[in-house]
Amino acid sequence: MSDSLPLPLTAWPELRPGWVWLCGAGPGDPGLLTLHGLNALRQADVVVYDALVSEDILSWAGNADLIYAGKRGGKPSAKQRDISLHLVELARAGKRVLRLKGGDPFVFGRGGEEAQTLVQHGVPIRIIPGISAGIGGLAYAGIPVTHRDVNQSVTFVTGHDQTGDTPGSLDWNAIAQGSQVIVIYMGMKHIAQITQRLMEAGRSASEPLAFVTSATLKQQNVVESTVGTAVDDAKAAGVEPPAIICIGRSVLMRQVLDWQSFEAGAAPRNLDPLDRGRPAESA
């Protein structure tokens, strides 16, 4: 990669001492990092990064100090308040701080909490959005979260709250009845409870469901299932978190939109997956 960014240097924002930039690194593939994210990496004195940020991305940080602050379910992790206050300390020490988070910092990434703490302590911030795994990861799996023949709504939910349980604030009945496509982050731990609640609320056991793990990476794996068989299928396939779970008819689009199979030499299939294999109409 060239050392220069494809715009005049004066066009790029400057990461100044005492500032913290909260940046989304995307779902995994280094190529999905934004140019603003790359610009930040090249300026930072300190990069505080999460578990899902790859070494390839961190290699663009130059001589910056790298501080790991990853939080993984079921494993010893730094407390969120300690991470936020450490960012404050680094900024007050005059460092140019980059807080690098997987996906998008404001989509189930606790970026809002960290930004709030920084502002409360008088630390100036900049937000750099990233591609969220619930959109980009599914796109790499050939699953569009919206398709005009399938859905006019999509709901993004988290599979657990601060306590580690399924969120008590979620109205699963309303979600089941009102959202055509449901994308679940961090839902593997409680997948049995989630699918049961959805079926009790009226979702069909035969409705398509997909698990996507290691989204956008070379080792990406997609397991196609249904709401009723999800628990058994995930166990049989050895699906482990973190995973993105998609529920809805848009999962069927993977039958013809699995573009990564084309790179492996497979021929595109001219089928209409929404009509059980009927040949697609010509454009």
Side-chain angles (χ1 to χ4, degrees), residues 189-213:
K189 180 180 179 181
H190 300 301
I191 185 60
Q193 184 176 2
I194 291 171
T195 51
Q196 184 62 37
R197 286 187 177 184
L198 290 174
M199 287 188 289
E200 290 174 352
R203 299 299 277 242
S204 171
S206 63
E207 184 171 15
L209 177 151
F211 299 96
V212 182
T213 57

Side-chain angles (χ1 to χ4, degrees), residues 141-221:
I143 301 172
V145 294
T146 66
H147 186 294
R148 66 177 184 172
D149 292 334
V150 176
N151 62 313
Q152 290 71 50
S153 66
V154 57
T155 298
F156 298 93
V157 302
T158 176
H160 67 77
D161 59 17
Q162 299 94 321
T163 68
D165 295 327
T166 53
S169 61
L170 289 180
D171 187 338
W172 289 101
N173 287 337
I175 292 171
Q177 297 170 20
S179 183
Q180 296 154 304
V181 171
I182 304 170
V183 178
I184 305 172
Y185 293 69
M186 299 170 286
M188 287 303 302
K189 180 180 179 181
H190 300 301
I191 185 60
Q193 184 176 2
I194 291 171
T195 51
Q196 184 62 37
R197 286 187 177 184
L198 290 174
M199 287 188 289
E200 290 174 352
R203 299 299 277 242
S204 171
S206 63
E207 184 171 15
L209 177 151
F211 299 96
V212 182
T213 57
S214 299
T216 76
L217 300 175
K218 290 182 179 179
Q219 63 270 31
Q220 174 180 288
N221 186 44

Side-chain angles (χ1 to χ4, degrees), residues 12 70 85 126 138 149 175 190 201 221 223 250 262:
W12 295 97
L85 292 178
R126 182 184 183 96
L138 291 177
D149 292 334
I175 292 171
H190 300 301
N221 186 44
V223 175
S250 64
F262 306 155

Side-chain angles (χ1 to χ4, degrees), residues 21-205:
W21 286 8
L22 292 98
C23 175
D29 184 339
L32 297 179
L33 180 73
T34 66
L35 289 176
H36 276 307
L38 179 58
N39 176 48
L41 278 166
R42 290 179 171 177
Q43 297 184 68
D45 296 318
V46 181
V47 178
V48 182
Y49 67 98
D50 279 350
L52 298 180
V53 177
S54 72
E55 292 184 4
D56 287 337
I57 291 177
L58 293 174
S59 70
W60 294 331
N63 296 320
D65 293 331
L66 303 179
I67 300 176
Y68 177 74
K71 299 175 72 65
R72 298 295 292 272
K75 298 181 180 180
S77 304
K79 294 182 179 180
Q80 184 59 55
R81 178 169 175 76
D82 292 340
I83 295 173
S84 299
L85 292 178
H86 193 196
L87 294 174
V88 173
E89 293 173 358
L90 290 169
R92 287 179 171 173
K95 301 294 185 179
R96 297 177 295 176
V97 184
L98 176 61
R99 177 65 170 116
L100 195 58
K101 307 174 76 67
D104 182 285
F106 277 11
V107 180
F108 301 125
R110 299 178 179 172
E113 300 171 40
E114 295 177 4
Q116 185 178 11
T117 299
L118 290 163
V119 170
Q120 288 172 343
H121 286 80
V123 176
I125 64 171
R126 182 184 183 96
I127 308 300
I128 302 175
I131 297 174
S132 178
I135 297 175
L138 291 177
Y140 265 53
I143 301 172
V145 294
T146 66
H147 186 294
R148 66 177 184 172
D149 292 334
V150 176
N151 62 313
Q152 290 71 50
S153 66
V154 57
T155 298
F156 298 93
V157 302
T158 176
H160 67 77
D161 59 17
Q162 299 94 321
T163 68
D165 295 327
T166 53
S169 61
L170 289 180
D171 187 338
W172 289 101
N173 287 337
I175 292 171
Q177 297 170 20
S179 183
Q180 296 154 304
V181 171
I182 304 170
V183 178
I184 305 172
Y185 293 69
M186 299 170 286
M188 287 303 302
K189 180 180 179 181
H190 300 301
I191 185 60
Q193 184 176 2
I194 291 171
T195 51
Q196 184 62 37
R197 286 187 177 184
L198 290 174
M199 287 188 289
E200 290 174 352
R203 299 299 277 242
S204 171

